[in-house]
Amino acid sequence: MIEQKRRYNITTFGCQMNKADSERMAGILENMGFEFTEDPNNANLIVYNTCTIRDNAEQKVYSYLGRQAKRKQNEPDLTLVVAGCVAQQEGEMLLRRVPELDLVMGPQHANRLDSLLDQVFAGNQVVATEPIHIYEDITKPRRESNVSAWVNIIYGCNERCSYCVVPSVRGVEQSRTPESIKAEIEDIARQGFKEVTLLGQNIDAYGRDLPGTTETGRHLHTLTDLLYYIHDVEGIDRIRFATSHPRYFTERLIKACHELPKVCEHFHIPFQSGDNEILKAMKRGYTHERYRDIISKIRHYMPHASISADAIVGFPGETEEQFQNTLNLVDDIGFDQLNTAAYSPRPNTPAALWDNQISEEEKSDRLQRLNHLVGVKAAERSQRYLNRVEQVLVEDINPKDTTQVVGRTDGNRLTFFKGDLTELKGKIVPVKITEVRPFSLTGEMLSLVTA
């Protein structure tokens, strides 16, 4: 490759796992001598880290890609990379569709970006989608935040939900060893980060593929054990984890979150549907009663815990009555936040082939009705914060009002208040909440209130 200023840009679609993968790929590129640029048109290496969960995310990738493929016709030195789940799903088909592509690589290959690019710079068009064991990555990620960091603890997923493409694009479960996770967290702490979020597609499955690792007699092969093992890393003030699966969520884990002061009282546990027949068709492996029981146990130990979830409407065969069961569950539980989606048929999933698909109009109507209820319930849940003092980890400036800083409560609620970022960034400060909205809060820093 002709020596010139090497600049890269990464566009990330989809989940937190993808964001974490992008940070690692950015770290690799910077190790290779590339510099980050905000503007993709100014970059000579472009990575699209893709998501295949929803059709619209996939279509967006193709439109972005089309523009850059056209640019490449005039700038042959431009390197185009598609990574992530669409790359895994489409493989060589992508090259046929967009022949200008240089590298197509699945999520399992993110840590190999440098060696794959070496092949590209040697003149090859490369497709890396074969299943491999994800080896430990020693490259430092280029993290988006310098207060809060993602830490992958398990890759892949062994579940077979009938609507979900993740197992076929992210591969089988591979847990990292407790030692490598702790070493990464210690390194993060040394860099001055205050919060870590442990990530896994199905985080409660952590450790079940590991041999019975022990240290001082303790078996370190569940998420609960891992939380105890990493809890006392000096410098880290908060620990979060996502995403949980109700099938594997245990009371022992709930107790650990209650007992360990650094673990945030915030749980993201998707329920997907409030109807048992639909849950069975989805192959989720639990009932709405089991889900409600988990939430009531969490609230028994931690009455103020924040609960967020994911839900799908318009799954094939869903009747109005079954949809009402989802509304009932949302109404009864009162989530702090709910990510909602209309069912989208995905390639290589059983549900996409069923002939009892719901019309787009019906899906759209149900999504609207669910979102309305979500907003109402979130506003109700927010009321509990009014006049309360919350501990807020300060992360950034409020882009809409630069006299304010923004941070998050233990329960992951965005909170705005007047303050100086240079003085407060990375600190946990007491904030008296003076204004509540469905999904965010405003307050006054306590020292200002009492002064």
Side-chain angles (χ1 to χ4, degrees):
M1 191 177 173
I2 301 159
E3 205 41 63
Q4 55 170 312
K5 200 71 179 158
R6 308 213 294 180
R7 288 180 296 269
Y8 77 93
N9 177 274
I10 300 181
T11 303
T12 308
F13 301 85
C15 68
Q16 294 167 323
M17 296 290 284
N18 264 13
K19 289 174 185 161
D21 288 349
S22 287
E23 289 184 345
R24 291 207 317 283
M25 289 191 285
I28 290 170
L29 289 170
E30 299 204 347
N31 249 17
M32 293 176 76
F34 282 87
E35 275 178 18
F36 173 72
T37 173
E38 286 279 353
D39 180 5
N41 295 314
N42 191 28
N44 38 29
L45 186 145
I46 293 175
V47 180
Y48 292 113
N49 193 7
T50 59
C51 171
T52 183
I53 294 291
R54 305 226 200 332
D55 191 45
N56 57 356
E58 207 173 307
Q59 294 317 315
K60 206 180 272 187
V61 173
Y62 282 117
S63 77
Y64 284 20
L65 204 46
R67 286 199 287 274
Q68 294 301 336
K70 203 167 282 182
R71 187 184 144 205
K72 184 164 178 164
Q73 289 161 11
N74 301 320
E75 298 175 43
D77 283 342
L78 175 62
T79 303
L80 290 181
V81 179
V82 173
C85 295
V86 172
Q88 183 67 32
Q89 178 184 285
E90 299 294 317
E92 287 187 13
M93 291 283 291
L94 257 170
L95 293 188
R96 287 205 276 281
R97 195 165 167 177
V98 187
E100 293 82 2
L101 273 173
D102 296 287
L103 170 60
V104 173
M105 54 180 263
Q108 296 175 58
H109 295 264
N111 295 357
R112 297 180 57 220
L113 179 60
D114 47 0
S115 61
L116 294 171
L117 282 173
D118 286 344
Q119 294 176 47
V120 168
F121 297 149
N124 300 302
Q125 208 175 21
V126 181
V127 177
T129 53
E130 69 281 5
I132 58 160
H133 183 78
I134 299 166
Y135 61 84
E136 274 301 321
D137 181 30
I138 50 162
T139 306
K140 298 281 180 287
R142 177 188 185 275
R143 300 190 186 270
E144 288 294 308
S145 159
N146 47 17
V147 175
S148 185
W150 315 110
V151 176
N152 282 318
I153 68 165
I154 178 171
Y155 301 100
C157 182
N158 290 1
E159 298 304 301
R160 282 288 179 263
C161 301
S162 59
Y163 55 85
C164 184
V165 75
V166 164
S168 65
V169 291
R170 281 199 170 263
V172 296
E173 287 167 4
Q174 286 184 43
S175 300
R176 294 176 64 195
T177 65
E179 294 78 13
S180 62
I181 293 164
K182 190 173 190 175
E184 183 177 353
I185 293 170
E186 286 168 344
D187 188 50
I188 283 165
R190 280 193 290 275
Q191 292 172 55
F193 288 86
K194 296 299 175 192
E195 176 183 277
V196 294
T197 301
L198 309 178
L199 291 183
Q201 221 73 48
N202 174 8
I203 202 159
D204 309 86
Y206 172 76
R208 62 184 179 186
D209 59 318
L210 290 177
T213 318
T214 63
E215 187 185 89
T216 61
R218 177 188 281 287
H219 283 273
L220 299 172
H221 52 203
T222 68
L223 174 60
T224 308
D225 293 316
L226 184 70
L227 289 175
Y228 281 107
Y229 179 63
I230 64 165
H231 182 268
D232 295 332
V233 170
E234 211 171 310
I236 298 296
D237 295 331
R238 283 184 173 176
I239 300 166
R240 303 182 187 275
F241 58 89
T243 293
S244 294
H245 193 302
R247 189 192 291 194
Y248 307 104
F249 204 89
T250 64
E251 187 162 1
R252 184 169 169 251
L253 176 60
I254 297 169
K255 282 181 180 168
C257 296
H258 175 53
E259 284 171 12
L260 295 168
K262 290 183 185 179
V263 178
C264 293
E265 295 190 354
H266 169 232
F267 300 88
H268 184 74
I269 317 173
F271 64 88
Q272 306 301 11
S273 170
D275 181 83
N276 287 348
E277 284 303 306
I278 295 292
L279 286 170
K280 196 173 174 183
M282 288 177 165
K283 290 198 163 25
R284 289 290 287 167
Y286 55 87
T287 60
H288 79 85
E289 291 89 352
R290 157 89 175 129
Y291 187 86
R292 289 168 186 267
D293 183 52
I294 290 167
I295 305 304
S296 68
K297 279 198 175 82
I298 289 171
R299 288 183 172 158
H300 166 73
Y301 287 99
M302 294 161 275
H304 295 299
S306 178
I307 315 280
S308 59
D310 302 339
I312 295 170
V313 302
F315 188 74
E318 183 187 64
T319 64
E320 176 59 29
E321 189 184 348
Q322 288 170 326
F323 170 63
Q324 283 298 330
N325 288 337
T326 293
L327 291 180
N328 293 342
L329 185 129
V330 172
D331 198 28
D332 294 346
I333 286 176
F335 292 93
D336 290 81
Q337 193 149 12
L338 187 61
N339 303 323
T340 62
Y343 169 74
S344 174
R346 306 314 298 132
N348 310 319
T349 61
L353 305 174
W354 298 346
D355 56 12
N356 54 353
Q357 305 290 329
I358 307 295
S359 74
E360 291 303 320
E361 296 73 34
E362 190 61 58
K363 287 195 279 195
S364 171
D365 175 62
R366 288 178 187 175
L367 188 60
Q368 220 171 334
R369 285 151 65 198
L370 177 59
N371 284 341
H372 174 72
L373 179 61
V374 167
V376 169
K377 299 308 287 188
E380 281 174 20
R381 288 288 292 160
S382 266
Q383 290 304 316
R384 75 191 193 278
Y385 288 111
L386 195 58
N387 296 322
R388 231 167 66 186
V389 174
E390 286 292 316
Q391 300 300 316
V392 176
L393 174 60
V394 179
E395 293 180 19
D396 218 328
I397 207 150
N398 176 3
K400 291 181 182 168
D401 177 354
T402 52
T403 67
Q404 290 185 331
V405 293
V406 60
R408 281 171 302 140
T409 67
D410 178 285
N412 210 36
R413 193 60 69 103
L414 275 181
T415 306
F416 302 92
F417 62 95
K418 288 213 181 302
D420 177 0
L421 187 68
T422 49
E423 185 194 323
L424 298 173
K425 189 165 189 170
K427 290 188 176 149
I428 294 178
V429 295
V431 177
K432 185 172 185 185
I433 304 305
T434 54
E435 201 183 317
V436 298
R437 291 172 296 281
F439 305 107
S440 64
L441 311 167
T442 298
E444 294 171 15
M445 197 162 69
L446 207 61
S447 55
L448 303 178
V449 174
T450 51

